[in-house]
């Protein structure tokens, strides 16, 4: 792993993004941290800055101008980025028509458009030096059958997985590894933000991994050049079942379980 170039991590203020920042810091990788909440980024930078160089650039990726502005800020600071982690994301609870179009538009901007644009901006330099890493934090939800509620979440994560797979085929011959990380249920504040903590906590503990475990799995995978990685044995089994069981059976299983924790109203 090169330690003279930076890892840029979006959504680094909490959850899996913060854990990935800690994992890279543990490995001696300089960091550029970005998210909306600058105070959290500053606190994390103060901590991790004791072991590696850390730069904070606050940005709201729901703003269509943010990816280019972020790229220009990195260029102005004369920082070289050979690792991009597209982690920023969240969920929109309820059925599709229960939220405004502005809400959905911002969601698509953050989870799909910003990830695609940041990749487009930072990838050329990686390919030019024939070394780079792009870790896209997708979800097990992008691999299993759909359920009611959180209408765009699984669809966006499925898109991110396919985007990563195509990009990996294009870029690996040029020295750039691209990996889609597909976590299942992960201990973080994701479910608190979505108002799902009470219902989601009823699920078996065996389904859960910590953010730290997921981060290590993801970083190990992109360094090894794996195109896709699913965190945890149970999640791998779920993905296998979703792929090989008849659609009617998979739909019934996913839909039935999702009703326990997803608000579809």
């Amino acid at each position: 792993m090169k330690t003279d170039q930076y890892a840029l991590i979006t959504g680094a203020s909490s959850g899996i993004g913060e854990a990935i920042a800690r994992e890279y810091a543990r490995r001696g990788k300089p960091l550029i941290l970005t998210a909306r909440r600058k105070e959290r980024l500053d606190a994390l930078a103060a901590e991790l800055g004791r072991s590696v160089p850390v730069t904070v650039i606050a940005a709201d990726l729901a703003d269509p101008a943010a990816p280019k502005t972020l790229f220009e800020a990195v260029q102005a600071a004369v920082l070289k980025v050979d690792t991009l982690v597209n982690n920023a994301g969240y969920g929109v609870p309820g059925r599709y028509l229960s939220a405004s179009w502005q809400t959905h538009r911002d969601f698509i901007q953050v989870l799909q458009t910003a990830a695609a644009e940041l990749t487009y901006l930072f990838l050329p330099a990686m390919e030019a030096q024939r070394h780079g890493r792009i870790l896209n934090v997708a979800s097990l939800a992008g691999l299993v059958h759909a359920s009611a509620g959180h209408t765009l979440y699984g669809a966006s994560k499925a898109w991110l997985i396919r985007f990563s797979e195509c990009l990996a085929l294009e870029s690996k011959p040029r020295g750039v590894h691209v990996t889609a990380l597909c976590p299942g249920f992960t201990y973080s504040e994701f479910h608190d933000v979505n108002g799902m903590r009470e219902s989601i906590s009823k699920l078996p503990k065996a389904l859960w991994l910590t953010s730290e475990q997921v981060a290590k799995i993801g970083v190990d995978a992109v360094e090894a050049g794996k195109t896709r990685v699913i965190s945890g044995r149970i999640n791998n089994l779920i993905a296998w079942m979703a792929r090989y069981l008849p659609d009617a059976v998979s739909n019934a299983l996913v839909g039935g379980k999702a009703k326990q924790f997803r608000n579809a109203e």
Side-chain angles (χ1 to χ4, degrees):
M1 180 180 295
K2 289 190 176 184
T3 57
D4 60 338
Q5 298 191 43
Y6 284 69
L8 169 61
I9 304 171
T10 71
S13 60
S14 64
I16 294 173
E18 177 184 344
I20 290 174
R22 292 182 182 280
E23 179 64 25
Y24 272 119
R26 187 183 68 79
R27 301 179 188 215
K29 187 75 174 172
L31 302 170
I32 301 170
L33 307 178
T34 186
R36 291 179 298 112
R37 297 175 290 189
K38 188 175 185 300
E39 67 284 355
R40 286 202 177 191
L41 294 177
D42 287 339
L44 182 61
E47 177 187 345
L48 300 183
R50 293 193 286 266
S51 56
V52 295
V54 181
T55 296
V56 167
I57 304 174
D60 183 358
L61 293 179
D63 178 359
K68 185 177 180 182
T69 300
L70 178 58
F71 176 75
E72 290 174 346
V74 171
Q75 298 297 105
V78 198
L79 301 176
K80 293 183 178 180
V81 171
D82 72 347
T83 302
L84 172 64
V85 180
N86 287 309
N87 165 76
Y90 55 95
V92 178
R95 64 190 292 265
Y96 188 54
L97 294 180
S98 66
S100 68
W101 174 244
Q102 178 67 51
T103 298
H104 292 316
R105 186 175 63 186
D106 289 350
F107 179 89
I108 294 169
Q109 170 64 35
V110 173
L111 273 79
Q112 294 181 242
T113 307
E117 186 173 1
L118 287 171
T119 300
Y120 191 85
L121 292 168
F122 284 99
L123 179 58
M126 296 182 194
E127 290 194 349
Q129 68 178 3
R130 304 193 67 79
H131 176 84
R133 305 289 185 261
I134 298 175
L135 179 60
N136 292 323
V137 181
S139 172
L140 182 64
L143 296 170
V144 301
H145 285 68
S147 61
H150 288 72
T151 319
L152 290 176
Y153 188 80
S156 295
K157 294 301 187 179
W159 174 88
L160 189 59
I161 292 167
R162 293 293 176 263
F163 172 64
S164 302
E165 290 171 345
C166 291
L167 201 63
L169 292 171
E170 295 173 4
S171 297
K172 192 169 185 177
R174 296 170 173 82
V176 179
H177 296 174
V178 183
T179 299
L181 169 61
C182 303
F185 292 109
T186 306
Y187 289 113
S188 73
E189 67 177 37
F190 177 89
H191 302 294
D192 298 307
V193 173
N194 290 334
M196 298 166 54
R197 174 58 57 195
E198 182 177 354
S199 58
I200 209 81
S201 297
K202 298 175 183 177
L203 294 174
K205 291 185 178 180
L207 291 173
W208 294 83
L209 291 180
T210 66
S211 296
E212 291 75 18
Q213 289 173 310
V214 171
K216 186 177 186 306
I217 289 168
V219 175
D220 284 346
V222 75
E223 288 300 320
K226 295 181 180 179
T227 302
R228 186 175 74 191
V229 62
I230 302 167
S231 62
R233 292 181 180 178
I234 292 180
N235 293 324
N236 275 275
L237 176 60
I238 292 171
W240 182 89
M241 292 173 64
R243 183 174 182 180
Y244 290 108
L245 286 178
D247 285 351
V249 176
S250 292
N251 281 329
L253 287 172
V254 172
K257 290 296 182 183
K259 288 179 181 178
Q260 299 178 17
F261 59 87
R262 277 197 172 182
N263 173 19
E265 297 301 325

